[in-house]
Amino acid sequence: MPYSDLDPVFAHIDRNADSHVARLMEYVRHPSISAQDVGIREVAGLLMGMLERLGFEAELLATRGHPMVLGRGPAVPDAPTVLLYGHYDVQPPEPLEAWTTPPFEPTIRDGRIFARGVGDNKGQHLAQLLAIEAHLAVHGRLPCNVIVLLEGEEEIGSPHLAEAVAAHADKLAHADLVVTADGTLHPSGRGTILYGVRGVTHFDIRVRTAARDTHSGNFGGVVPNAMWALVHLLGTMRAPDGRLTVAGLCDPVVAPGAVEAAAAAALPIDLPALMTELGLSALDAPRDRPFWDRLMFHPTLTINGIAGGYSGPGSKTVLPAEAVAKCDIRLVEAMTPDQALAAVRAHVAAQAPALGATVEVVGSGGMLPSRTPMDSPFAAVLRRALTLARGESPLEYPCMGGSLPDYVFTKTLGLPAFVTPYGNADEANHAPDENLSLSCFHAGIRSGAALLSGLGELTGACVCPVNHTKLHG
Amino acid sequence: MPYSDLDPVFAHIDRNADSHVARLMEYVRHPSISAQDVGIREVAGLLMGMLERLGFEAELLATRGHPMVLGRGPAVPDAPTVLLYGHYDVQPPEPLEAWTTPPFEPTIRDGRIFARGVGDNKGQHLAQLLAIEAHLAVHGRLPCNVIVLLEGEEEIGSPHLAEAVAAHADKLAHADLVVTADGTLHPSGRGTILYGVRGVTHFDIRVRTAARDTHSGNFGGVVPNAMWALVHLLGTMRAPDGRLTVAGLCDPVVAPGAVEAAAAAALPIDLPALMTELGLSALDAPRDRPFWDRLMFHPTLTINGIAGGYSGPGSKTVLPAEAVAKCDIRLVEAMTPDQALAAVRAHVAAQAPALGATVEVVGSGGMLPSRTPMDSPFAAVLRRALTLARGESPLEYPCMGGSLPDYVFTKTLGLPAFVTPYGNADEANHAPDENLSLSCFHAGIRSGAALLSGLGELTGACVCPVNHTKLHG
């Protein structure tokens, strides 16, 4: 009988709603600000205690930065293993004066808890832990194997996640799937499943035409202007019609499959409202591209800003000797940061001689893209679990436009990875008055519980995840 | 007998060299920092006293900023009238710690006086006043009519010179020529005559694609990037081969006459040394243009810098909603700031619709170019005077690359205008350890004296300056 264990767990969760809220409020009272190194060890210790009280083996994994908390649930023979990822660090709370109530004194107003980190990500991974607790309280056992991995550096860009996961692959790679509860639901409140992210590579293009800045009158017409060299160089990299014209850059791009393309086409978007909100007269070129395809299936080359010369108030008659374009490229399957940067370097090297300039491309890190097939057997489990927990089927996003280190799971560990956000769309994460609605928190715990039940249904089955053959072994 | 009055004046100047140096040191002891409004009134008062002691009518001309000092010498019937222009304000002395000796405690080292303003411009206009004094001391009279005009805002861009000169045209426009002693000699020490300057217009090109900056992941591919719109727009304004491609911008350009072209071609330039000093691998495009022509006879469009998005250290995944190119155009005869800005506006308006952006061009002031014909009869006087005073013929520059408000004299007053620098090439003006060599100061006084004698030779003659017909009347 499918999900036969779930109804009493839902009932338990509903009965304990007030106590769950009280425990979240106690948890977010503790700062854990990775950027400022405030409270990290203390909150990691709190999590170790929580895991141990659940009967998990808890372990603090050292990294070159803040430690990760790892928990392993009691063995459930022949059942699949889910790796629940989250992060216990929070954004700095500043500016403090913009908060209605202090960021680390959680307060309930209008059906929401206001506190730094309550949505991003403490309320979401606590919901997963409370879902585990509910199963254990009702049934004395879990439906499947569970690994919990909570990192302490997500808000500073997860600089050590990849190497730490690779270093501890023996403790993680026997998982069958990764589920992350982070981010926000659709503004309508409908649940979502996210199957992929774009990758990113950051780099500077540094153009130099002279040893020092000169005077635009005394040398204008004599000394080549680095800004003009940069403008002309950039003009060779993206056409006004939106095509990226860096040779080889887009060669690895894998077009979406039929399932992904159909899913993207089916997603809602209120384009007039979005354009009004953002003050757009047109979408970016090319103009005829479907909305979601833009964010999911196409790379971008973004100029973040241009340094050099003088760009402050008033005028300064400077002829810049150096100009630096700060750029990022959002990567889609199967582009990589290295491949993209190599294409940019080759393009720039070919253009430089005609510019009368020396040009250097300086990379500053990146992330691989990640894409989990929407026809993964685990996708069906998540779809059903979210529908049971929330009363309506989730929206399904083949990919999101931004970048998260999901590749660590899909590429380093070779696991299918899914993101199922529990936060309200107006959670104001990274901003003053961050909040989590009580109903979203409650639905999150139910979602986590349904997920565990659904995975339990697969006990003994061969689910054959793509690129992951352990269950065959 | 040409310059018959000059030898005893030279002898007087040579005899009084020490006392002249002492008077310059006393003068530069008084700060007159226009940008900081320090000592302006006091130094204007000192100059009024100096002019009165020369028997000049002295007048303080109010402006909307700092006042100008006007002096009028005793009438010399039938002799031409020279307007000697200079400025009594100085640059701020900061950074004070970079000075070997304090900026307002003049010190002689290695045959130079070190003090703020000693070269720019106090030592140079004092040389003119001491030349007048020498003529009066030796002969009891001046060879020609002299008007002295010293402004107090040159170091902040002469913001009120044009309107003040126009307002007081009745006191100035009966001059026959304007001579400015400012700037530096050729590095070889050879005297120079400068006949023109390029004009300039400053403006910002502001491109906006959205109401606010967005996240390059969440919106990259959806929201048009203002930096790309700006890059593509700028790419339509100047070709990689150096041609300015703004329609109408260069239409008014008057090619140099045969005299000017020949003068430019005859000027020395050590191109390899210059390129080494500035670290250039090539001159600006177009590559085949003669060196001096670049600075004298062609306009430039310089990007001074580009604001918008993020261009600081590290990376920020911003998709800029606004991008601003700060630009200047150096203008040659007969371009004007208004004409150039109108051409830019028309070009930008024509390009904007294709960019998916709103584009605005915001002007922030400018100066007309100025060009005095090298075959002016006064040019011969200056050439001879400098040769007599310095022992070799001067270099003659039809134009300089930078911009000075000479148009106020050539266009507002309709007078031929000449610049004859007295400063050493390494005077370090605007910088710590500004200095004037004693020999340059001395040669400057001799040059001023010779100029007055030369103009005296024209007494009764019709010199018919271009655009100036008073002597015919």
Side-chain angles (χ1 to χ4, degrees):
Chain A
M1 188 172 101
Y3 296 88
S4 56
D5 60 342
L6 188 56
D7 278 348
V9 175
F10 278 170
H12 175 92
I13 293 168
D14 295 347
R15 268 197 316 276
N16 286 277
D18 289 349
S19 119
H20 290 163
V21 167
R23 286 165 68 186
L24 176 55
M25 290 180 72
E26 171 56 26
Y27 182 29
V28 294
R29 197 174 289 283
H30 300 274
S32 46
I33 310 165
S34 47
Q36 301 169 349
D37 199 4
V38 169
I40 290 291
R41 293 270 158 182
E42 185 198 344
V43 169
L46 289 179
L47 286 167
M48 297 281 287
M50 288 188 217
L51 289 166
E52 284 162 359
R53 282 191 293 279
L54 291 174
F56 277 45
E57 285 176 36
E59 186 180 357
L60 206 59
L61 299 184
T63 74
R64 288 194 296 150
H66 303 319
M68 304 196 299
V69 175
L70 178 71
R72 179 188 314 275
V76 183
D78 298 327
T81 301
V82 62
L83 171 56
L84 299 174
Y85 164 78
H87 65 91
Y88 67 86
D89 63 323
V90 304
Q91 281 278 317
E94 286 77 10
L96 297 177
E97 66 278 9
W99 287 77
T100 305
T101 48
F104 297 109
E105 297 177 20
T107 309
I108 297 178
R109 293 193 301 277
D110 303 327
R112 301 164 185 237
I113 308 177
F114 289 84
R116 170 55 84 226
V118 70
D120 184 12
N121 172 256
K122 286 176 171 166
Q124 304 207 33
H125 62 254
L126 183 63
Q128 306 288 56
L129 299 184
L130 293 172
I132 292 167
E133 183 185 88
H135 268 284
L136 291 169
V138 171
H139 299 297
R141 59 178 290 281
L142 291 177
C144 62
N145 295 288
V146 177
I147 301 171
V148 173
L149 179 70
L150 300 171
E151 77 155 315
E153 298 187 312
E154 199 270 353
E155 297 296 3
I156 54 173
S158 299
H160 305 108
L161 179 65
E163 68 185 27
V165 164
H168 297 286
D170 58 320
K171 296 167 180 159
L172 304 169
H174 62 278
D176 296 291
L177 76 160
V178 180
V179 175
T180 302
D182 200 4
T184 62
L185 306 167
H186 188 263
S188 66
R190 198 162 155 196
T192 65
I193 306 174
L194 181 63
Y195 292 86
V197 292
R198 290 196 289 193
V200 66
T201 182
H202 306 278
F203 57 93
D204 290 356
I205 300 176
R206 299 172 181 272
V207 172
R208 180 167 284 283
T209 51
R212 60 174 171 84
D213 287 353
T214 51
H215 184 287
S216 71
N218 297 347
F219 291 99
V222 169
V223 175
N225 183 326
M227 285 286 165
W228 276 118
L230 180 62
V231 161
H232 290 134
L233 174 60
L234 290 170
T236 66
M237 298 176 71
R238 184 183 195 262
D241 66 10
R243 277 176 305 114
L244 298 183
T245 48
V246 174
L249 177 63
C250 303
D251 288 355
V253 171
V254 176
V259 176
E260 282 80 12
L267 284 167
I269 180 68
D270 184 345
L271 205 49
L274 181 76
M275 292 179 68
T276 299
E277 188 220 325
L278 293 174
L280 308 185
S281 61
L283 295 188
D284 195 20
R287 300 279 158 80
D288 56 355
R289 191 169 275 176
F291 180 82
W292 289 109
D293 285 22
R294 295 167 173 267
L295 291 168
M296 296 178 174
F297 307 131
H298 292 280
T300 61
L301 169 50
T302 298
I303 307 169
N304 308 122
I306 293 178
Y310 179 79
S311 59
S315 57
K316 182 175 172 185
T317 55
V318 63
L319 196 171
E322 188 183 42
V324 181
K326 302 187 79 73
C327 300
D328 68 53
I329 296 178
R330 297 288 161 172
L331 310 167
V332 299
E333 287 290 337
M335 301 170 79
T336 72
D338 289 348
Q339 164 265 323
L341 209 55
V344 169
R345 280 190 215 282
H347 178 92
V348 162
Q351 296 288 330
L355 298 170
T358 58
V359 187
E360 192 186 6
V361 177
V362 180
S364 55
M367 290 185 192
L368 290 156
S370 176
R371 194 182 288 178
T372 292
M374 296 184 75
D375 49 10
S376 156
F378 295 118
V381 172
L382 264 76
R383 199 173 291 135
R384 180 131 189 238
L386 290 175
T387 305
L388 284 172
R390 296 173 175 276
E392 65 180 330
S393 63
L395 294 168
E396 300 188 46
Y397 293 78
C399 189
M400 61 174 270
S403 305
L404 292 169
D406 296 14
Y407 75 93
V408 171
F409 306 117
T410 54
K411 293 189 167 137
T412 306
L413 297 183
L415 301 175
F418 308 87
V419 178
T420 58
Y422 294 169
N424 33 293
D426 55 354
E427 68 171 353
N429 63 331
H430 297 212
D433 283 349
E434 177 176 351
N435 66 88
L436 180 63
S437 86
L438 299 178
S439 62
C440 281
F441 179 51
H442 184 244
I445 304 171
R446 288 168 59 98
S447 300
L451 168 67
L452 299 178
S453 288
L455 291 171
E457 302 285 322
L458 296 179
T459 298
C462 170
V463 296
C464 308
V466 174
N467 292 329
H468 184 59
T469 55
K470 183 191 66 105
L471 293 186
H472 296 286
Chain B
M1 188 171 102
Y3 297 88
S4 57
D5 59 343
L6 189 55
D7 278 346
V9 175
F10 278 169
H12 175 92
I13 292 167
D14 296 348
R15 268 197 317 276
N16 287 277
D18 290 348
S19 121
H20 290 163
V21 167
R23 285 165 68 186
L24 175 55
M25 290 181 71
E26 170 56 27
Y27 182 28
V28 295
R29 195 174 291 281
H30 301 273
S32 46
I33 310 164
S34 46
Q36 301 170 347
D37 199 4
V38 169
I40 289 291
R41 292 271 159 182
E42 185 199 342
V43 170
L46 289 177
L47 286 167
M48 297 280 287
M50 288 187 217
L51 288 166
E52 284 163 358
R53 281 191 292 281
L54 291 173
F56 278 45
E57 285 175 37
E59 186 180 358
L60 207 59
L61 299 183
T63 74
R64 288 193 296 151
H66 302 320
M68 304 195 300
V69 174
L70 179 71
R72 179 189 314 276
V76 184
D78 297 328
T81 301
V82 61
L83 171 55
L84 300 173
Y85 163 79
H87 65 92
Y88 67 87
D89 64 322
V90 304
Q91 281 278 316
E94 286 78 11
L96 295 176
E97 66 278 11
W99 287 76
T100 306
T101 48
F104 298 109
E105 296 177 20
T107 310
I108 297 178
R109 293 192 301 276
D110 303 327
R112 301 164 186 238
I113 309 176
F114 289 84
R116 170 56 83 225
V118 70
D120 186 11
N121 172 258
K122 285 175 173 167
Q124 303 208 33
H125 63 252
L126 182 64
Q128 305 289 57
L129 298 184
L130 292 173
I132 291 166
E133 183 185 87
H135 268 284
L136 290 169
V138 172
H139 299 297
R141 58 178 290 278
L142 291 178
C144 62
N145 295 288
V146 178
I147 302 171
V148 173
L149 180 69
L150 299 170
E151 75 153 316
E153 297 187 311
E154 199 269 354
E155 297 296 4
I156 52 173
S158 300
H160 304 109
L161 179 65
E163 68 185 28
V165 164
H168 297 287
D170 58 319
K171 296 167 181 159
L172 304 170
H174 63 277
D176 296 291
L177 76 160
V178 180
V179 175
T180 303
D182 200 4
T184 63
L185 306 166
H186 188 262
S188 66
R190 197 164 155 196
T192 65
I193 306 174
L194 181 64
Y195 292 86
V197 292
R198 289 196 290 193
V200 66
T201 182
H202 305 279
F203 57 93
D204 289 357
I205 302 176
R206 301 173 180 271
V207 171
R208 181 168 283 282
T209 51
R212 59 176 171 83
D213 286 353
T214 50
H215 184 288
S216 72
N218 298 345
F219 291 100
V222 169
V223 175
N225 183 326
M227 284 287 165
W228 276 118
L230 180 63
V231 161
H232 289 135
L233 173 60
L234 290 169
T236 66
M237 298 175 72
R238 184 184 193 262
D241 66 9
R243 277 176 305 115
L244 299 183
T245 47
V246 174
L249 177 63
C250 303
D251 288 355
V253 171
V254 176
V259 176
E260 281 80 12
L267 283 167
I269 180 69
D270 185 346
L271 206 48
L274 181 75
M275 291 179 69
T276 299
E277 188 221 324
L278 293 174
L280 309 186
S281 61
L283 295 188
D284 196 20
R287 300 280 158 79
D288 57 355
R289 191 169 275 174
F291 180 83
W292 289 109
D293 285 20
R294 295 166 175 266
L295 291 168
M296 297 177 174
F297 307 131
H298 292 280
T300 62
L301 168 50
T302 297
I303 307 170
N304 308 122
I306 293 178
Y310 179 78
S311 59
S315 57
K316 182 175 172 184
T317 55
V318 63
L319 196 171
E322 189 184 42
V324 181
K326 303 186 77 75
C327 300
D328 69 53
I329 295 177
R330 297 288 162 170
L331 310 167
V332 299
E333 287 289 337
M335 300 170 79
T336 73
D338 289 347
Q339 165 265 324
L341 209 54
V344 170
R345 282 190 212 282
H347 178 92
V348 162
Q351 296 287 332
L355 299 170
T358 58
V359 187
E360 193 186 5
V361 176
V362 181
S364 54
M367 289 185 193
L368 290 155
S370 174
R371 195 182 287 176
T372 292
M374 295 183 74
D375 50 8
S376 155
F378 294 118
V381 173
L382 263 76
R383 199 173 291 135
R384 179 133 190 236
L386 290 175
T387 305
L388 284 172
R390 296 174 176 275
E392 65 181 330
S393 63
L395 294 168
E396 301 189 43
Y397 293 78
C399 189
M400 61 175 270
S403 305
L404 292 170
D406 295 13
Y407 75 93
V408 171
F409 306 118
T410 54
K411 293 188 166 135
T412 307
L413 296 183
L415 301 176
F418 308 86
V419 179
T420 59
Y422 294 168
N424 34 293
D426 55 354
E427 68 171 354
N429 62 331
H430 296 211
D433 283 350
E434 178 176 350
N435 65 88
L436 180 64
S437 85
L438 299 178
S439 63
C440 281
F441 179 51
H442 184 244
I445 305 170
R446 287 168 58 97
S447 299
L451 168 67
L452 298 177
S453 288
L455 291 170
E457 300 286 322
L458 297 179
T459 299
C462 171
V463 296
C464 307
V466 174
N467 292 330
H468 185 62
T469 56
K470 182 192 68 101
L471 291 186
H472 296 286

